[in-house]
Amino acid sequence: AQKITQTQPGMFVQEKEAVTLDCTYDTSDPSYGLFWYKQPSSGEMIFLIYQGSYDQQNATEGRYSLNFQKARKSANLVISASQLGDSAMYFCAMMEGGSEKLVFGKGTKLTVNP
Amino acid sequence: EAQVTQNPRYLITVTGKKLTVTCSQNMNHEYMSWYRQDPGLGLRQIYYSMNVEVTDKGDVPEGYKVSRKEKRNFPLILESPSPNQTSLYFCASSFITPGLLTDTQYFGPGTRLTVL
């Protein structure tokens, strides 16, 4: 069963605007972590942000924030003040506690327009 | 500089010719893993290792072998490559911290493999 769902194959945003990339997940384990990675056209995977299932506050890292809604099992990535360099594939991933296995969604391609 | 390195970055080979993709990390991470990325499928785990001499299968292990003789190295071996193993391969590593829910995995730059 697919555990991570990213429903937006592609998204477009104007430079300097905010954008939300959706991610829903499925797990029965109360302990888990959620991750977002960025993959630019050069191909490398860049870690952006992490949210633990017991974290009380939504994670933030600079212009990235994670809108964590536990009851809805969603972990959307919000990028504020988009820049041209934000154009990339974005992957949501989950790891259940103690498993060390990272399960990825299929990704969302973000294009930032000038 | 803390990093995960992979070699080669690009490889074109022919069916049946054994090859090894190396992965090395300098962060003293216990955990290492191999993934393959295919269009429309995201990343899928091939094998992982929790520490030296401890390896286990991921979701798509068929056609691959790994070894973990040293903590820093985790080579991926294709004994008899086939065209369906044409893919982008990533190595990743992380700490395993007791008491911490999960540890962030850091990825190498990727190896683009084409099997003709």
Side-chain angles (χ1 to χ4, degrees):
Chain A
Q2 186 175 354
K3 293 195 170 185
I4 295 286
T5 303
Q6 294 181 254
T7 57
Q8 307 153 314
M11 287 283 285
F12 293 87
V13 66
Q14 288 297 122
E15 196 177 6
K16 299 181 185 177
E17 292 185 352
V19 62
T20 298
L21 306 183
D22 294 343
C23 173
T24 58
Y25 59 92
D26 183 31
T27 181
S28 57
D29 191 331
S31 302
Y32 53 90
L34 296 154
F35 304 79
W36 277 92
Y37 287 85
K38 172 184 178 182
Q39 187 178 40
S41 57
S42 51
E44 70 269 31
M45 294 288 286
I46 303 167
F47 165 71
L48 294 178
I49 196 166
Y50 162 80
Q51 179 86 43
S53 60
Y54 296 121
D55 293 344
Q56 296 296 314
Q57 307 242 354
N58 286 345
T60 60
E61 290 285 349
R63 293 186 299 109
Y64 304 108
S65 61
L66 202 152
N67 183 3
F68 182 45
Q69 297 187 46
K70 196 169 182 177
R72 295 181 60 193
K73 293 189 175 179
S74 74
N76 299 337
L77 177 71
V78 181
I79 305 174
S80 63
S82 298
Q83 302 172 356
L84 296 178
D86 294 334
S87 293
M89 283 289 290
Y90 288 82
F91 291 94
C92 179
M94 179 179 70
M95 183 182 295
E96 290 167 338
S99 77
E100 303 298 334
K101 179 179 176 180
L102 202 55
V103 176
F104 285 83
K106 295 185 178 182
T108 295
K109 184 175 183 179
L110 176 66
T111 302
V112 180
N113 294 317
Chain B
E1 179 189 355
Q3 59 183 350
V4 180
T5 57
Q6 294 178 228
N7 281 292
R9 295 288 313 279
Y10 303 90
L11 179 61
I12 301 174
T13 190
V14 296
T15 299
K17 186 177 181 181
K18 181 179 178 179
L19 65 92
T20 299
V21 184
T22 64
C23 173
S24 183
Q25 49 91 9
N26 62 1
M27 296 170 277
N28 202 34
H29 285 165
E30 296 89 4
Y31 179 86
M32 297 185 75
S33 180
W34 277 101
Y35 298 88
R36 62 177 288 173
Q37 182 180 15
D38 302 289
L41 296 177
L43 281 83
R44 295 176 292 167
Q45 189 179 51
I46 303 171
Y47 269 94
Y48 65 95
S49 169
M50 302 288 277
N51 214 324
V52 176
E53 302 292 1
V54 181
T55 63
D56 210 344
K57 296 177 181 178
D59 294 320
V60 287
E62 295 78 21
Y64 304 95
K65 287 175 59 177
V66 293
S67 68
R68 187 93 181 270
K69 294 185 170 57
E70 306 166 280
K71 196 172 186 179
R72 63 183 293 128
N73 296 324
F74 190 46
L76 179 70
I77 303 155
L78 285 72
E79 295 269 2
S80 183
S82 62
N84 64 12
Q85 293 178 297
T86 292
S87 188
L88 178 59
Y89 290 86
F90 287 100
C91 180
S93 71
S94 75
F95 288 115
I96 300 175
T97 308
L100 186 68
L101 184 62
T102 54
D103 285 290
T104 300
Q105 291 188 22
Y106 294 94
F107 283 73
T111 295
R112 191 166 293 278
L113 173 66
T114 302
V115 183
L116 302 174

